[in-house]
């Protein structure tokens, strides 16, 4: 039963913190006009939910975190055929890859690459499991109340509605393509892309600071006077609580920075915990009561946020390093290079996980404590 509770508590804590982390990416993307086709609670898979403003909100069966599907984040150069492929498909509504290739006078492979990129943009719906061939469709379009109101105020007819797979007129292919491109992550200047990448980390850190304010300024904590040994219940002002929160963030930054110092890397890893240790600590926190739960969730939120800033793909920090490199060198990192970097990063994380998991198992056997 204890093991089940460990899994449940760890899943709740980590799932919620990953979900709000992705929420940071979603909010920043939408603030900059970038299309986000999905914002889900749970890992990618079958989902239920509703669509609003072009984004599908919902829940998937695997409630381990969440994800925001930000459009236009695919690496590498854009296909040179996007404009004419987009126009061809919209005029047809529904078309196979070969039909689009014939319309545009390009090879099937080029048409496929362009259609897949447009699918990532949210401009096109990709093939379904029921399709016998590589069939693509236009997405459904329903004008919002605001758009209808604006059209009526201007004396114009109501904007047209289209179902998925229905053909639509494309009078100016270039203008249409540019309107789609402006809704993509890759269309943004460097600083806006950087903000989107660090927004998830910012949400985790701000959430942790808010929990510190609740803990120290609303609930209060029991502290022992080092001189008299008397335990007192202490409540501090919000500003002091914020300072405590940022001081803790600074300590975590120093600890994680120790990974890059050969003299301290081994100690940093030995004082860290894997998901096994987090599961044990989560149950201990829930057993001890709400105050300890708040403290534990705040500490994990900080750790999750700072870890995501490590300059290792596919973490946010790794993506940010790639963006900085592209900005300085004025060169685009290819999909192949990014895949190699991501595989190297994943291999490094697997090594860290195995080392820390072994430590956690040894701690459980020996009855030693866990580090956060």
């Amino acid at each position: 039963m204890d093991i089940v509770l460990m899994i449940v508590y760890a899943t709740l804590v980590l799932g919620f913190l990953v979900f709000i982390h992705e929420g940071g990416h979603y909010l920043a993307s939408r603030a900059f006009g970038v299309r986000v086709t999905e914002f889900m609670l749970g890992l990618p898979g079958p989902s239920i939910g509703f669509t609003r403003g072009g984004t599908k909100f919902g829940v998937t069966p695997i409630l381990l975190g969440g994800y925001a599907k930000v459009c236009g984040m695919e690496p590498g150069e854009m296909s040179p055929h996007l404009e004419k492929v987009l126009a061809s498909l919209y005029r047809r509504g529904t078309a196979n890859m070969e039909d689009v290739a014939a319309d545009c006078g390009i090879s099937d492979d080029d048409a496929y690459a362009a259609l897949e990129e447009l699918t990532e943009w949210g401009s096109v719906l990709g093939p379904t499991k029921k399709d016998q061939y590589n069939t693509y469709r236009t997405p459904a379009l329903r004008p919002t109340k605001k758009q209808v109101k604006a059209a009526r105020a201007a004396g114009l007819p109501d904007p047209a509605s289209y179902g998925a797979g229905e053909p639509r007129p494309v009078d100016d292919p270039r203008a249409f393509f540019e309107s789609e491109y402006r809704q993509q992550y890759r269309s943004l200047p460097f600083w806006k892309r950087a903000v989107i990448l660090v927004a998830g980390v910012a949400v985790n850190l701000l959430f942790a600071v808010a929990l510190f304010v609740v803990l120290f300024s609303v609930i209060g904590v029991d502290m022992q006077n080092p001189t008299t040994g008397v335990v007192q219940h202490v409540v501090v002002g919000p500003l002091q609580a914020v300072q405590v929160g940022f001081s803790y963030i600074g300590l975590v930054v120093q600890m994680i920075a120790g990974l890059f110092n050969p003299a301290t890397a081994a100690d940093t890893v030995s004082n860290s915990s894997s998901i096994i240790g987090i599961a044990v600590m989560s149950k201990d926190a829930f057993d001890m009561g709400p105050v300890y739960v708040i403290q534990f969730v705040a500490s994990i939120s900080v750790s999750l946020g700072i870890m995501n800033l490590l300059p290792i793909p596919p973490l946010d920090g790794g993506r940010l390093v790639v963006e900085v490199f592209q900005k300085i060198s004025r060169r685009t990192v290819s999909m192949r290079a990014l895949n190699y970097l991501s595989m190297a990063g994943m291999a490094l994380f697997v090594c860290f996980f195995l080392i820390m998991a072994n430590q956690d198992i040894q701690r459980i056997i020996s009855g030693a404590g866990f580090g956060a």
Side-chain angles (χ1 to χ4, degrees):
M1 185 63 181
D2 284 348
I3 295 177
V4 174
L5 288 175
M6 288 180 189
I7 295 172
V8 170
Y9 291 149
T11 300
L12 288 174
V13 172
L14 291 175
F16 174 72
L17 293 177
V18 172
F19 179 70
I20 65 171
H21 176 96
E22 293 300 320
H25 294 311
Y26 167 79
L27 292 173
S29 299
R30 295 304 300 135
F32 293 138
V34 174
R35 178 182 288 149
V36 182
T37 53
E38 295 181 21
F39 182 40
M40 295 287 170
L41 175 61
L43 297 181
S47 63
I48 58 173
F50 62 94
T51 300
R52 184 179 180 84
T55 303
K56 183 177 180 181
F57 300 89
V59 181
T60 71
I62 309 175
L63 298 177
L64 296 175
Y67 69 93
K69 193 171 182 181
V70 181
C71 295
M73 294 192 78
E74 70 282 351
E77 298 285 351
M78 292 193 305
S79 166
H81 309 296
L82 293 178
E83 180 181 326
K84 54 186 177 182
V85 166
L86 184 65
S88 168
L89 181 66
Y90 270 66
R91 285 166 177 157
R92 285 178 172 268
T94 300
N96 295 334
M97 173 186 70
E98 293 81 5
D99 299 327
V100 174
D103 285 348
C104 302
I106 58 178
S107 68
D108 289 350
D109 288 342
D110 286 341
Y112 175 76
L115 286 165
E116 285 297 300
E117 187 168 350
L118 291 170
T119 301
E120 290 297 318
W121 284 21
S123 302
V124 165
L125 299 179
T128 66
K129 293 181 180 180
K130 297 180 180 180
D131 291 326
Q132 185 177 0
Y133 304 104
N134 287 325
T135 303
Y136 296 82
R137 298 169 177 82
T138 55
L141 176 64
R142 298 287 184 266
T144 64
K145 292 181 180 179
K146 184 178 180 180
Q147 290 172 327
V148 172
K149 185 177 180 180
R152 290 175 178 174
L156 301 173
D158 290 355
S161 296
Y162 296 95
E166 291 185 3
R168 305 181 203 173
V170 181
D171 299 325
D172 188 339
R174 185 63 188 174
F176 180 47
F177 168 74
E178 289 179 348
S179 70
E180 290 295 304
Y181 177 69
R182 284 193 296 270
Q183 299 178 70
Q184 308 303 314
Y185 168 87
R186 63 161 62 237
S187 72
L188 299 178
F190 166 77
W191 75 269
K192 289 186 178 181
R193 296 200 301 270
V195 169
I196 290 175
L197 291 176
V198 302
V201 174
V203 168
N204 280 131
L205 299 184
L206 290 174
F207 178 68
V209 171
L211 289 182
F212 277 112
V213 171
V214 171
L215 183 62
F216 287 93
S217 296
V218 179
I219 300 175
V221 294
D222 293 330
M223 300 181 66
Q224 186 178 43
N225 189 308
T227 304
T228 64
V230 177
V231 176
Q232 295 178 312
H233 188 74
V234 179
V235 177
V236 302
L239 182 59
Q240 289 176 288
V242 169
Q243 291 173 340
V244 171
F246 279 102
S247 295
Y248 181 79
I249 292 172
L251 291 175
V252 174
V253 170
Q254 289 180 349
M255 184 191 73
I256 294 179
L259 289 171
F260 300 93
N261 184 346
T264 59
D267 287 339
T268 300
V269 173
S270 65
N271 291 325
S272 302
S273 296
S274 70
I275 183 64
I276 297 174
I278 292 174
V280 175
M281 289 186 288
S282 65
K283 182 181 180 301
D284 290 342
F286 276 86
D287 287 345
M288 289 187 289
V291 170
Y292 293 92
V293 171
I294 293 173
Q295 185 176 354
F296 173 70
V297 172
S299 66
I300 297 300
S301 188
V302 172
S303 297
L304 178 65
I306 301 301
M307 285 293 292
N308 260 284
L309 279 180
L310 288 176
I312 304 172
L315 297 179
D316 296 334
R319 289 179 175 271
L320 183 60
V321 168
V322 170
E323 291 288 355
V324 172
F325 171 80
Q326 293 182 145
K327 177 68 175 179
I328 295 174
S329 66
R330 299 185 182 278
R331 296 169 57 188
T332 301
V333 177
S334 67
M335 174 73 83
R336 176 178 295 182
L338 190 60
N339 285 339
Y340 284 141
L341 289 172
S342 296
M343 286 189 291
M346 290 303 298
L348 182 61
F349 280 119
V350 169
C351 291
F352 280 140
F353 171 78
L354 293 176
I355 293 171
M356 290 186 289
N358 178 65
Q359 291 177 169
D360 290 339
I361 293 171
Q362 296 302 320
R363 287 167 180 157
I364 293 173
I365 294 174
S366 64
F370 285 87

